[in-house]
Amino acid sequence: MEQTALDNLVLDNREDGIFRVHRSVFTEPQIMALEQRRVFEQCWLYAGHASEIPQPGDFRSRRVAGRPLILVRGSDGVVRVLFNTCTHRGAQVCRESCGNAKTFQCFYHAWTFNNQGELIGVPGEDAYSAAFDRQELGLASPPRVELYRDFIFISFNPTVESLVDYLAGARQYLDLVCDQSEAGMEIVTGTQAYSMRANWKLLVENSMDGYHARTTHQRYFEFLIETGIDPSRMRGRRGGMGKALGNGHAVIQSEPIWGRPIARWTPMFGEAKKAELEALEQKIIERFGVEWAYQMTQTSRNLLIFPNLIINDIMAITVRTFFPVAPDYIEINAWALAPKDESPDNRTLRLDNFLTFLGPGGFATPDDVEALESCQQGFANREVEWSDMSRGMKRAQPCVDDELQMRVFWRQWHALMRHSQPAAVPLPHTIAV
Amino acid sequence: MGATSLVQDVTRAAIEDFLYEEAALLDEWRLQEWLDLLTEDATYEVPSTDTPDGDARTTLFIIADNIERIRSRVRQLLGKSAWAENPPLRTRRLISNVRIREREGDTIRVTANFVVYRMRFELVDTYVGRYEYTLVWRDGALKIRHRRAILDLEALRPHGKVSIIL
């Protein structure tokens, strides 16, 4: 694409407070092709969680940015990410979705690799010359693999900054999730594997959009009232804010009207749980002090780790990632994250609370899917060129239902797509824009 | 005649009639009438596609409704703001391979295969799987105490959602 065309995809007028995105970014195959190289192959990408492969030999196969990968904990206990392709002629050496294995044997010619990726068996090896070196032919890994508090990230960019530096201000919000248990957090068994006939960036926007809740999710709020929540709590809640976290990461955070398994009671949890959740909150106050504990237990947050990891710590915690298959179609995987040491009945309560809102059968997510598919359909009207995301642009402290967090995403996306450094924006902002 | 002996005498044909009537109520969006088929302690579950045999207490499902949640789901679907199903769409259910698996006391366990087509905006999504039912004899009729729709799909793709009652 021509540079001028790329430059004009995002209109960012901070002076007047107008922010628009050209809708071709949602529809054009050449934009998607460029995104693969300039976004997905440059950034850190979430691949999985160490708790999904707890024991030596545990593995999971997973597709990340179109690549079939194996997440595996080797017999040496080390978490690795391997490209699932035989170094001989290409077949996938792992054809199970998960399991425990000492070795991966390619069924095509029976080359065999151990669970640390080393090539340990080549049938008829005497036919090869002296230059044939098994050690060079182990299963390959993405150029960079790093973990932060059990979150496994990969990057196809060998010179990408360290994961911790990349996370920037998102790190403390990730900590706010990871610190919810001293025993650590784990991914609960069961994957919500679904899809959307819409562009992936629409789901980024939607996953941290406080503005749509009251209309798109009207039926969810009606449901909450049915469960005994006082509707007056829907107004005038404290603590709402949207915040840029650097490197395109962003968060919205506010005190919710729903309950939280950590540790905000709601009538649906039943009277018996009240004292227990108060005790849990007290324990967290002792660990972190009143203010941080308040944020951890009493506020909900929707966190974007650029470009496509969403951690929504709301009525439960969902870890959601998604990749484009086409400009108008994405594959989504979502999981529940929970404290490892949670009591069985609190785990059940958490999962139940999760399903009220979240996932393809919840009382909210299907309507999000519907809304985004509807946007994608609307984009066929190419004559209507722009989407507007100016909300709250002139407010000193952006609210949870403003669109700062979307602008943060789009600015980073645009900078990467233009192949330029993002404009230096000091953090924290004095004026939101 | 007691409920137990009635359950012992129920034929597969009678179970098939029951399931076909249920399917018709769902396809015709007669959801209030469908609720009348459920017991006061009924549950409705759709496990995640990678854990078809999971337990909803310990595993993340797609749907794990108790009776209150089922009633709310129906209220929402019959209301105006379940956008995923409003304006209304078409579904068509094919139920087959009905098998009585167990009779015990007043309950009867049944499995069946299903194909549910969901048509909307000129797209067709096909849900394929099997049902597990626990039926009980109540007030002179069969009622559903437990209903699990287990998808054979490996992922909800390209469907994206289970916003109908599967």
Side-chain angles (χ1 to χ4, degrees):
Chain A
M1 278 184 85
E2 281 185 36
Q3 192 64 38
T4 325
L6 282 173
D7 289 347
N8 292 334
L9 291 175
V10 174
L11 191 157
D12 186 4
N13 180 347
R14 296 185 195 219
E15 199 178 332
D16 299 331
I18 294 294
F19 192 97
R20 292 195 179 130
V21 173
H22 196 266
R23 291 180 175 180
S24 62
V25 303
F26 300 116
T27 58
E28 293 307 310
Q30 52 184 352
I31 296 272
M32 185 178 143
L34 201 60
E35 279 174 340
Q36 297 300 324
R37 296 205 302 278
R38 295 192 175 175
V39 177
F40 291 109
E41 292 177 10
Q42 296 305 315
C43 297
W44 282 102
L45 302 173
Y46 178 71
H49 195 270
S51 66
E52 295 179 273
I53 43 172
Q55 300 301 324
D58 284 353
F59 70 87
R60 279 180 188 271
S61 44
R62 181 158 299 159
R63 197 173 283 275
V64 176
R67 277 80 161 173
L69 304 176
I70 312 168
L71 312 186
V72 58
R73 192 181 289 270
S75 294
D76 57 359
V78 174
V79 169
R80 289 183 178 79
V81 180
L82 305 171
F83 286 126
N84 189 4
T85 179
C86 185
T87 50
H88 176 216
R89 300 267 286 281
Q92 294 184 47
V93 299
C94 174
R95 307 204 314 140
E96 306 285 334
S97 61
C98 61
N100 185 283
K102 286 195 166 56
T103 59
F104 299 105
Q105 185 176 68
C106 181
F107 80 97
Y108 193 11
H109 303 92
W111 282 29
T112 305
F113 304 85
N114 68 18
N115 60 21
Q116 296 164 221
E118 296 161 326
L119 177 60
I120 55 166
V122 176
E125 200 171 353
D126 56 352
Y128 290 93
S129 73
F132 179 85
D133 184 359
R134 262 195 202 188
Q135 286 185 355
E136 291 174 1
L137 291 166
L139 293 174
S141 282
R144 298 284 295 276
V145 179
E146 287 179 25
L147 277 72
Y148 182 75
R149 303 198 68 174
D150 285 346
F151 284 74
I152 306 166
F153 286 81
I154 63 169
S155 183
F156 304 113
N157 173 5
T159 61
V160 69
E161 64 202 306
S162 75
L163 176 60
V164 164
D165 287 346
Y166 178 82
L167 290 173
R171 186 177 164 186
Q172 65 169 324
Y173 288 90
L174 198 50
D175 287 342
L176 213 41
V177 173
C178 295
D179 282 334
Q180 290 178 16
S181 161
E182 286 178 280
M185 303 294 281
E186 66 183 2
I187 295 286
V188 178
T189 304
T191 309
Q192 292 184 334
Y194 60 112
S195 60
M196 202 173 286
R197 292 166 170 124
N199 188 270
W200 69 278
K201 299 182 290 300
L202 289 173
L203 186 53
V204 173
E205 294 174 353
N206 171 262
S207 297
M208 43 172 192
D209 180 347
Y211 190 28
H212 79 303
R214 252 178 234 188
T215 42
T216 305
H217 301 313
Q218 188 185 329
R219 66 160 161 149
Y220 184 70
F221 293 105
E222 289 165 3
F223 159 74
L224 287 182
I225 293 167
E226 286 170 11
T227 69
I229 285 178
D230 176 3
S232 68
R233 282 181 66 184
M234 289 193 191
R235 292 185 297 275
R237 287 170 280 134
R238 64 170 275 220
M241 57 118 189
K243 194 174 172 188
L245 302 173
N247 288 340
H249 316 312
V251 70
I252 54 171
Q253 186 165 287
S254 68
E255 208 178 277
I257 59 162
W258 50 72
R260 290 169 48 77
I262 294 192
R264 185 178 169 88
W265 184 83
T266 190
M268 203 177 77
F269 293 169
E271 286 296 326
K273 280 283 163 199
K274 212 168 190 171
E276 191 182 334
L277 289 194
E278 278 168 12
L280 185 56
E281 186 189 358
Q282 200 51 46
K283 210 174 129 194
I284 292 172
I285 289 173
E286 282 160 25
R287 281 173 65 205
F288 297 103
V290 172
E291 180 49 33
W292 200 242
Y294 165 78
Q295 289 203 41
M296 188 179 294
T297 63
Q298 301 305 307
T299 70
S300 283
R301 75 211 94 258
N302 298 44
L303 173 65
L304 164 70
I305 294 176
F306 188 92
N308 67 335
L309 173 62
I310 298 290
I311 298 170
N312 283 352
D313 176 11
I314 43 182
M315 65 292 299
I317 305 169
T318 188
V319 174
R320 175 193 294 164
T321 187
F322 41 90
F323 289 94
V325 176
D328 59 356
Y329 184 70
I330 58 174
E331 293 181 346
I332 308 161
N333 285 322
W335 299 271
L337 188 75
K340 280 183 181 166
D341 57 350
E342 197 162 47
S343 69
D345 58 326
N346 281 7
R347 176 62 61 89
T348 299
L349 179 145
R350 168 183 295 278
L351 292 173
D352 185 60
N353 217 37
F354 185 110
L355 292 184
T356 59
F357 187 95
L358 288 162
F363 292 162
T365 300
D367 300 316
D368 286 320
V369 174
E370 185 75 6
L372 304 191
E373 292 183 346
S374 187
C375 294
Q376 193 73 34
Q377 293 295 313
F379 296 153
N381 293 306
R382 297 166 61 94
E383 292 71 20
V384 183
E385 291 185 73
W386 300 93
S387 285
D388 186 280
M389 267 160 273
S390 312
R391 196 172 162 79
M393 214 161 160
K394 285 289 187 184
R395 252 207 273 257
Q397 172 56 60
C399 302
V400 80
D401 58 357
D402 285 336
E403 292 168 339
L404 168 79
Q405 62 283 0
M406 295 165 213
R407 294 190 288 277
V408 166
F409 166 81
W410 280 110
R411 285 174 183 140
Q412 179 75 4
W413 178 90
H414 196 213
L416 290 169
M417 289 293 278
R418 295 166 73 196
H419 223 50
S420 65
Q421 289 299 313
V425 178
L427 293 173
H429 304 296
T430 43
I431 299 286
V433 295
Chain B
M1 201 155 46
T4 301
S5 59
L6 283 165
V7 157
Q8 294 304 319
D9 293 342
V10 169
T11 62
R12 191 187 72 205
I15 299 287
E16 285 174 342
D17 284 348
F18 179 81
L19 296 181
Y20 296 163
E21 287 302 321
E22 186 202 17
L25 291 177
L26 291 170
D27 280 342
E28 292 163 21
W29 218 244
R30 291 156 64 193
L31 303 181
Q32 282 297 346
E33 290 169 71
W34 175 72
L35 283 180
D36 294 338
L37 300 182
L38 307 181
T39 63
E40 289 298 307
D41 59 351
T43 55
Y44 160 49
E45 296 179 335
V46 181
S48 293
T49 48
D50 63 343
T51 51
D53 302 316
D55 178 338
R57 292 171 301 182
T58 56
T59 308
L60 181 64
F61 270 38
I62 297 168
I63 292 169
D65 284 356
N66 60 18
I67 187 65
E68 287 307 319
R69 204 66 63 77
I70 297 170
R71 288 179 181 141
S72 180
R73 188 177 290 279
V74 165
R75 271 195 295 276
Q76 293 171 38
L77 289 173
L78 292 174
K80 292 262 183 269
S81 67
W83 309 114
E85 305 301 320
N86 182 20
L89 49 89
R90 298 175 185 181
T91 62
R92 188 61 58 202
R93 289 146 210 271
L94 307 183
I95 314 259
S96 74
N97 304 59
V98 175
R99 293 192 288 166
I100 294 174
R101 308 302 293 271
E102 190 181 288
R103 300 173 200 252
E104 196 186 333
D106 66 348
T107 72
I108 179 162
R109 280 204 323 108
V110 171
T111 59
N113 294 353
F114 66 80
V115 179
V116 180
Y117 298 97
R118 176 182 184 274
M119 279 70 64
R120 195 158 189 240
F121 300 140
E122 300 182 24
L123 291 170
V124 182
D125 285 322
T126 308
Y127 298 86
V128 181
R130 70 181 198 274
Y131 286 126
E132 289 180 358
Y133 280 91
T134 303
L135 304 175
V136 292
W137 198 267
R138 286 288 148 77
D139 308 323
L142 281 173
K143 297 271 184 187
I144 300 165
R145 179 187 278 162
H146 176 65
R147 183 178 189 280
R148 179 184 276 216
I150 301 168
L151 290 162
D152 290 326
L153 308 170
E154 293 167 288
L156 271 173
R157 295 171 186 151
H159 316 62
K161 47 176 118 76
V162 187
S163 43
I164 55 171
I165 289 166
L166 201 56

